[in-house]
Amino acid sequence: MRTVLKRLTIKAGDFCRKVSALMQASEHSSNAKPKRVKDSNRDDGYSIVAVTAFSVVAGAWMLMTASVSLPVIQKAAEFRYWSTVRSSAEAGLDYVAAQLDSNFKAGTVSSFDDTTVDGTAKVSAVPANVIGTYATVNVSVNNVRPPTTSSVYNTAFDDTLANNSVGNVNRYRVISSTASYAGLSSTVRIIVRPDLNGLPATTTTTTTTTGPTGTSTTPFFNYAIFSDGAMLASGNMTTDAYDSRNGAYGGTNRNNYRGDVGSNTSATIGANSNIGGNLVVTSLPKGSTTAVVATRSANAVVQNQLKVNGVTSGFTGTNGSAPGGSDTVKALEFGTPRSGDYTTPIDKSLTSNQITLSPAPSAPSGSYNVGAINVSGNGKVIVRNSAAPVSSINVSANNTIYIPPGNYKATSLSISGNGQIQLESNVSTDVVISLEGNTAGTTVISLGGNGVSNATQIPSKFQVVTNSSKSTSIAGNADFRGVIYAPSSPITIAGNGSVYGALVGKQVTSTGNAAVHFDLALADGTYASTHNLGATVTIPGEEITITTTTPTLVNSLKTVSWEER
């Protein structure tokens, strides 16, 4: 194009020079000849030619100038647009980086921040008033840990390490800002990390004492029979267990290996005594290798384990997966093959703590105070929900009285002849007889006659408790469904009756054919607490020392990488 214009310009110049020469020649000839009349038409022709030649030259020049200037103008406009998107991208990046920096210092979370290290960035639009141009700016923030091989990696900022300086929050961010305008776009990206200015983390040790954390109930009854002193079984006594929460004793509700018998001093069993559970002696001194604290004779047998703080006499138990044919200690609670501790049926010289017997609870305020309770002859005392309170319980001959369930305070309890105490099956409240005060004679509890008939089949419904040191006697052929807690009273079991429940005494002697069926519900702390059959204590608070390492606050975010695209 430029070549063509150049040629046109040259030709136009030549044409103009030729026209000028002709005009000068004409003027010269006019001076030599006589003057003649001016030819106006010829002069006008020269003028038109000159103007036309000038217009051609001017037009060619303007065309050439436009062809040269237009690209320059276009380039200038494009540069202005490019500057706009670039500066807008930088403005958006600066704004979001400042927001993150401010929030990190304050320990808060910016609305622009990506709070999860999941590889997915959070994209946000930057407000237009922040940018100040017509460009659209979007900024992405990616919460990403640098690989350990990266040049920007620093163990002080690695939130996966226990000894880092910034806690357990990753503070590395990749921030990308993209601006778009007039079909152009620009992206700038930076990587930032925390800057601590070399300040160390701080460690604080705090010791606090918590308040009481609740209560705990230790059941009174964890054995079918427990004797604080010597345990003597010279007759045909048997024990086993069941759970009254599962119904009446018998059938599948019978356990031949949980009717434990225990003593804090010694145990002697003979005749045909059959301990359907463990025989446990927590004697003193603990761990003795010489003191004989458990003795067996005749046909006595222990179905589960023998556990004593001393040594034994007359017992045999074969170690291993099965008992020997002549073993008298069988360790069969979980059958054969035996495993674990059961492969050692006799555990001697143990260091078990003695069982602490809490005092029997006193009769609560509002209890019926009835003096001595005597039921003799054919007399009956029937516990019925709807019965009216009575001031005394002294029944003989063929008489019958009705009493309501609840708490009774008495000095003694005696059932003899054909006398009987009966609990109707729908009795809703426990009958608790607390024996307190002075009583005549040497016996505080004497259960003979037809004993206690408990149609509820729940031993905890009939409780006899006392701290008296006078004796307790369970005789006759009648059954007793209930519990006796008499930690200071020596107990004698005679006759052929059965006890469904549990017994605790200062010393326990069994001379008859009685069977004691332990109710496993009694050994449950929650159950015992519900029926007031345990010692409840407050669990004290604990002194807790806590050492806390507080990470150094981030003073600022430092740019460690810049990229523009």
Side-chain angles (χ1 to χ4, degrees):
M1 180 67 180
R2 293 182 182 179
T3 303
V4 173
L5 289 173
K6 185 175 180 180
R7 290 175 179 173
L8 288 173
T9 302
I10 293 172
K11 290 181 179 181
D14 291 342
F15 177 73
C16 289
R17 283 193 293 272
K18 290 179 181 180
V19 171
S20 178
L22 288 173
M23 291 176 67
Q24 290 176 0
S26 175
E27 183 178 354
H28 179 73
S29 63
S30 66
N31 292 331
K33 295 178 181 181
K35 186 175 180 179
R36 63 171 182 249
V37 180
K38 183 178 179 180
D39 188 350
S40 61
N41 290 332
R42 183 177 178 181
D43 291 341
D44 290 342
Y46 290 145
S47 298
I48 291 171
V49 171
V51 170
T52 301
F54 179 78
S55 297
V56 170
V57 172
W61 178 256
M62 292 176 65
L63 184 61
M64 180 186 70
T65 303
S67 68
V68 172
S69 300
L70 184 59
V72 174
I73 294 171
Q74 290 176 336
K75 286 292 184 181
E78 183 177 341
F79 178 77
R80 181 166 61 85
Y81 293 154
W82 176 255
S83 296
T84 297
V85 294
R86 185 178 183 277
S87 63
S88 298
E90 290 180 352
L93 182 72
D94 292 342
Y95 177 75
V96 171
Q99 292 291 315
L100 293 177
D101 183 69
S102 176
N103 285 101
F104 277 165
K105 290 177 181 178
T108 56
V109 178
S110 168
S111 60
F112 293 99
D113 195 16
D114 174 22
T115 58
T116 57
V117 188
D118 59 1
T120 302
K122 180 177 181 179
V123 180
S124 307
V126 179
N129 64 313
V130 172
I131 304 303
T133 69
Y134 291 107
T136 300
V137 180
N138 291 309
V139 176
S140 70
V141 178
N142 198 354
N143 183 345
V144 58
R145 297 186 182 97
T148 57
T149 56
S150 170
S151 60
V152 301
Y153 175 78
N154 189 328
T155 56
F157 310 131
D158 189 340
D159 63 301
T160 64
L161 301 179
N163 60 346
N164 74 86
S165 300
V166 294
N168 61 351
V169 178
N170 178 60
R171 297 183 187 275
Y172 279 89
R173 298 291 187 273
V174 177
I175 309 173
S176 298
S177 176
T178 300
S180 301
Y181 178 63
L184 300 174
S185 67
S186 176
T187 299
V188 288
R189 186 181 75 167
I190 61 173
I191 299 175
V192 295
R193 67 159 175 78
D195 185 15
L196 305 179
N197 293 339
L199 297 176
T202 58
T203 299
T204 303
T205 300
T206 304
T207 300
T208 59
T209 301
T210 64
T213 57
T215 60
S216 174
T217 299
T218 301
F220 290 151
F221 303 100
N222 290 290
Y223 297 81
I225 302 172
F226 187 83
S227 174
D228 192 34
M231 172 69 216
L232 305 170
S234 59
N236 299 320
M237 180 190 76
T238 62
T239 67
D240 59 10
Y242 75 112
D243 193 328
S244 64
R245 293 169 295 189
N246 297 329
Y249 168 86
T252 58
N253 193 16
R254 177 182 178 182
N255 189 314
N256 292 324
Y257 306 102
R258 295 289 303 280
D260 299 349
V261 174
S263 169
N264 270 338
T265 57
S266 64
T268 301
I269 61 173
N272 294 312
S273 297
N274 187 329
I275 309 299
N278 296 321
L279 179 57
V280 180
V281 180
T282 53
S283 55
L284 295 177
K286 298 179 183 178
S288 175
T289 58
T290 58
V292 177
V293 297
T295 302
R296 171 198 167 274
S297 62
N299 298 315
V301 64
V302 176
Q303 297 295 339
N304 211 10
Q305 290 180 287
L306 176 60
K307 297 174 173 288
V308 296
N309 282 356
V311 295
T312 66
S313 174
F315 293 95
T316 57
T318 302
N319 294 343
S321 60
S326 60
D327 283 359
T328 57
V329 180
K330 300 182 180 297
L332 285 176
E333 180 175 358
F334 295 102
T336 55
R338 299 185 304 199
S339 62
D341 185 53
Y342 291 89
T343 61
T344 308
I346 301 176
D347 290 331
K348 298 181 290 186
S349 302
L350 300 177
T351 58
S352 302
N353 292 328
Q354 288 199 303
I355 306 300
T356 299
L357 298 181
S358 300
S362 300
S365 175
S367 298
Y368 304 117
N369 193 341
V370 294
I373 298 175
N374 291 295
V375 183
S376 60
N378 295 316
K380 290 183 180 179
V381 175
I382 299 177
V383 180
R384 177 173 291 177
N385 288 330
S386 60
V390 296
S391 58
S392 64
I393 302 176
N394 192 341
V395 185
S396 59
N398 296 317
N399 295 321
T400 298
I401 66 170
Y402 297 88
I403 65 172
N407 293 290
Y408 288 83
K409 179 180 179 180
T411 56
S412 62
L413 170 63
S414 174
I415 302 175
S416 60
N418 293 317
Q420 187 178 56
I421 295 177
Q422 298 178 0
L423 275 67
E424 294 184 341
S425 61
N426 63 345
V427 168
S428 57
T429 305
D430 296 342
V431 177
V432 182
I433 300 175
S434 300
L435 302 177
E436 303 174 8
N438 295 322
T439 182
T442 59
T443 301
V444 65
I445 302 171
S446 178
L447 299 180
N450 290 319
V452 176
S453 173
N454 183 347
T456 69
Q457 302 291 322
I458 301 173
S460 61
K461 288 292 185 184
F462 190 81
Q463 308 172 23
V464 181
V465 298
T466 183
N467 288 313
S468 174
S469 58
K470 293 186 177 182
S471 64
T472 294
S473 172
I474 302 173
N477 298 320
D479 295 339
F480 172 73
R481 282 183 167 84
V483 297
I484 296 177
Y485 186 73
S488 297
S489 174
I491 297 176
T492 300
I493 307 171
N496 301 314
S498 294
V499 174
Y500 297 84
L503 306 171
V504 172
K506 179 63 176 178
Q507 176 177 305
V508 179
T509 302
S510 176
T511 59
N513 300 317
V516 180
H517 310 292
F518 177 49
D519 181 6
L520 294 170
L522 301 171
D524 182 288
T526 301
Y527 186 92
S529 177
T530 300
H531 294 275
N532 197 30
L533 287 172
T536 301
V537 296
T538 299
I539 301 173
E542 295 182 273
E543 188 176 85
I544 303 173
T545 300
I546 302 174
T547 301
T548 305
T549 299
T550 304
T552 302
L553 291 178
V554 175
N555 293 321
S556 63
L557 290 175
K558 182 176 182 180
T559 301
V560 294
S561 177
W562 170 280
E563 180 184 6
E564 181 176 350
R565 292 179 289 178

